[in-house]
Amino acid sequence: MTGLPAVTAPVLAEALDALPARLRRKVDDAVARASGWPVTGTADGVTVRVDEATSVTLVTVEGVVRSAADARCSCLLAPHCLHRMAVLALAPVDDRAPSEPEAPAAGRPVGASAGAAPGATADTAADPPAGAAAAVGGAAPAVDGVTSRSEFTERQRIAADGLWQVAVAVLGAGTVGCGVVLRTALLRAVHEARANGLHRAAASGTRVAAGLRAARAAEPQYRLADLTDDLRELLAVSRRLRGTVAPAGELGSLLGTARRAYDPQDGLRLYGLCAVPVVTDSGYAGVVTYLADRAGRLWTVADLAPGDVGRAVGAGDATVAVGESGLSYRQLTRAGLVVSGGTASESGQLGAGRAVRAVRAAGAGWADEPLAGLWAQPLSDQVRRAFGAATLPVPERPAGADLLFLTVRVLGGHDHTVLVATGDGAVLTLTVADEHTALPHRDNLRLLAQAVGAELRLVGRLDPTRRATVQALAVGPTSVDGPALVLPEGWAGHADLGYDRLHSSQFRPAGGPAPALPGGRLPGQGGSVARPRLGDPALGLLRRQVERVVSGGRVIQVLADPVVQGRRLARLDLGAYLLAAMGDAARARPRDAFGRLTDDDGQAFAESWLALAVYEEAASRALAEASWLP
C-alpha cells in the first residue's frame, strides 16, 4: 500500500491499546490483507477503502497523523477495530522529537528547516548500507549543557529500561516472531526515550523497528547483518543507560543530541569532490556532497529529510542551501564555492543561514590540486584513519574520515562485486554502497566488473567488518591521454556511482597484457571471478550464530548442538566460551516454589548474546584491519 501519510508512534500505540486481546492476535493477518486496499487522497488526508461499506479516513496536520482521533473507521466496531489498526500499521512512522525553538539562522544545518528532524545531518552519509545510519539523534556531545552532569535522571533510567525490556523481547522472538504488536511496543519505547533526551538509543531503536518491518515485508534492501548490528547497538546503549552513573566523560556520547553546535568559519574556498545518495533505516533520505578546501580538509553539505529512496534520487538535483550559488548538489561536485560568513559543525558539516554568502567558483579535477593530494596519501595512513573513524559514533566522525582515495586497476568481477588491485599490489573488493534498485550503484558496478584492465581513480568508503572491502562511491579515469574510461565533458572527469549511470560505450579496451587475478589465473580462465575469502572461518561461524538468533529467536539457540559448535571453535577460546554461555542461558528454565518449570524474563540470554555479539564485532574489525596490512 502506497500513498499513506506518516503517523506518530503514540498514535500507533494508542490504536493498538484500543484493540481487545482477541483482536490483537489477528493484527498481522489484518495487515497482510490491508496491503491491497486502495488509497485515495483528500483535501486534509487520505481515505482507504476496505470494502463497499467500510472505509478508513486519516486526517493529517502538516502531512502527519498526530492524534488517534484523526484515524477513523466507518465500521460498527470502531475505534476498537482491526481496519484502523491495519492501516496505521502500514503507514510510515514519524517519531521526530517535539519541535524546539528555532535555532539562529546562521547555525541551522544545510537542508534542515526549523521543523526538520533534529540530527538529520550530513553525518548520516557515513552509515554502513546497512545502514545506514543514524539520521535522527546521533551521539555527538549535547549542546544544551547536559554533559556537565555525570548521572542520569530517573526518567531517563526508566525510559532506558523500557527500551532494554522491549529489545530483550525482540531478541527472544527473532524476526520470525516480531509482528505489529512487538514493533509497536518498540516504537512506543523509542518515543519515550527520545522525549527524555536519549537520542542515541532512540536512533538505534528506530533503525531496529525499520529493520523488523523490512524483514516482515521481505523488502529487497533488508539485510539481516544490518539489523543484527542495530540490535547490538540498541542493547549495548540501553544497558549502559540503565545504570546510575555514566563512565567519566561518556554521558554526552551515551545520551546523544538532537542538535549540533555550529561555529563561525573564516572565508572558505571549496572544491566539489563527489555526491552520495543517502537512505537510512531510520526513515530519512537525501544527498550528501563532499567538498575539499585548499588544505585538503573535507567538508560536507547535505539535504536530508524524512523520505524513502525516491527522495534520495531527486535530492541530488535540489538547490544547495548555502548562499545563493544556484548550484544543485550534483552540480556542486563539479564546481566550487567561495563562502563568507559561513558556519560549520566540529565534524565539518556546513551550516546555512541569512548571514552566509556563497558564490559559484571554478572547480578542480581529481588530478589537480588540491584534490590530487587526497590520492597522494599513503594507503596505510588512509586505512588507519578510516578504521579510527569507524570506531566513533557517526555524528562524531570528521567529514570524510572513513573515505579512501585509491588508484586501482580492475581485475574482474562477479555480478555487482569487483576485484581491483592497488599500485602496491593489494587486492581489494569493491561492493555497492546502497542496495536500492532505484539507484544505479549495482548497474554501474556490473559495468566496472567487465572493464578488466581499466585504471581508475576511486573514492570509496571502507567497510570495517569485511576483509579488504570498499564501498565504491565515485570513479574517474587516471589520465586524459588514452583513458580506459571516457566520460561526458559535463561530468568534469568523474562519475558519482549513486547518481550517474555509466554505459558500456564509455569504456575503452585497456592496453597491455591482461592483469592476473589472485592465484595467477587470467580473466576468462576457469569461469567467473571468485570473490576472496572475507574472514576467518571460526569468526564467520560466530557471526552466523549471532545472526541466527536475531532471525529465529531464542529457540534457535536452544536447538543448537553445543558440542559441535565448541569443536569448530576450538582455537577461539573466548569465543567458544561465550557461545557456550549463550547456549546455557537459552536452555535455562527456572522453577517456581513448587518445582514447576517457568519462563524467565530473557535478560540473562540477552546479556549473553550481547557479550558474544560485541566480541565478534571487535574480533572481526581487528581481522579486517589486519587484512589491509602487508
Side-chain angles (χ1 to χ4, degrees), residues 183-273:
R183 186 167 63 86
T184 300
L186 176 58
L187 289 171
R188 191 205 308 256
V190 165
H191 180 81
E192 289 298 319
R194 183 167 288 121
N196 285 282
L198 307 182
H199 301 292
R200 179 179 176 183
S204 299
T206 301
R207 295 196 301 272
V208 170
L212 293 175
R213 177 172 179 165
R216 197 77 178 184
E219 297 178 3
Q221 67 270 21
Y222 165 70
R223 294 291 179 271
L224 177 59
D226 295 337
L227 178 58
T228 300
D229 293 339
D230 292 335
L231 186 55
R232 183 193 66 235
E233 167 80 359
L234 174 60
L235 284 167
V237 174
S238 60
R239 181 178 182 274
R240 298 180 70 185
L241 288 171
R242 298 170 72 210
T244 303
V245 180
E250 294 188 20
L251 180 64
S253 179
L254 287 175
L255 293 180
T257 184
R259 296 184 184 273
R260 295 189 186 88
Y262 282 74
D263 301 319
Q265 300 292 323
D266 295 333
L268 295 173
R269 175 65 168 96
L270 302 175
Y271 301 85
L273 178 63

Side-chain angles (χ1 to χ4, degrees), residues 136-333:
V136 183
V143 299
D144 59 358
V146 73
T147 53
S148 62
R149 296 188 288 107
S150 61
E151 297 183 357
F152 305 116
T153 67
E154 184 64 23
R155 290 177 62 88
Q156 287 174 333
R157 286 195 295 271
I158 293 174
D161 186 68
L163 263 180
W164 165 262
Q165 298 289 351
V166 178
V168 168
V170 168
L171 180 67
T175 58
V176 297
C178 287
V180 173
V181 174
L182 197 50
R183 186 167 63 86
T184 300
L186 176 58
L187 289 171
R188 191 205 308 256
V190 165
H191 180 81
E192 289 298 319
R194 183 167 288 121
N196 285 282
L198 307 182
H199 301 292
R200 179 179 176 183
S204 299
T206 301
R207 295 196 301 272
V208 170
L212 293 175
R213 177 172 179 165
R216 197 77 178 184
E219 297 178 3
Q221 67 270 21
Y222 165 70
R223 294 291 179 271
L224 177 59
D226 295 337
L227 178 58
T228 300
D229 293 339
D230 292 335
L231 186 55
R232 183 193 66 235
E233 167 80 359
L234 174 60
L235 284 167
V237 174
S238 60
R239 181 178 182 274
R240 298 180 70 185
L241 288 171
R242 298 170 72 210
T244 303
V245 180
E250 294 188 20
L251 180 64
S253 179
L254 287 175
L255 293 180
T257 184
R259 296 184 184 273
R260 295 189 186 88
Y262 282 74
D263 301 319
Q265 300 292 323
D266 295 333
L268 295 173
R269 175 65 168 96
L270 302 175
Y271 301 85
L273 178 63
C274 66
V276 181
V278 178
V279 184
T280 72
D281 290 337
S282 53
Y284 285 76
V287 59
V288 172
T289 294
Y290 290 90
L291 308 104
D293 61 19
R294 287 172 173 160
R297 178 186 174 181
L298 296 183
W299 305 76
T300 57
V301 56
D303 178 8
L304 298 177
D308 56 13
V309 65
R311 189 183 191 282
V313 172
D317 295 320
T319 302
V320 176
V322 177
E324 299 178 351
S325 67
L327 292 168
S328 70
Y329 288 88
R330 295 178 63 184
Q331 291 172 337
L332 181 55
T333 69

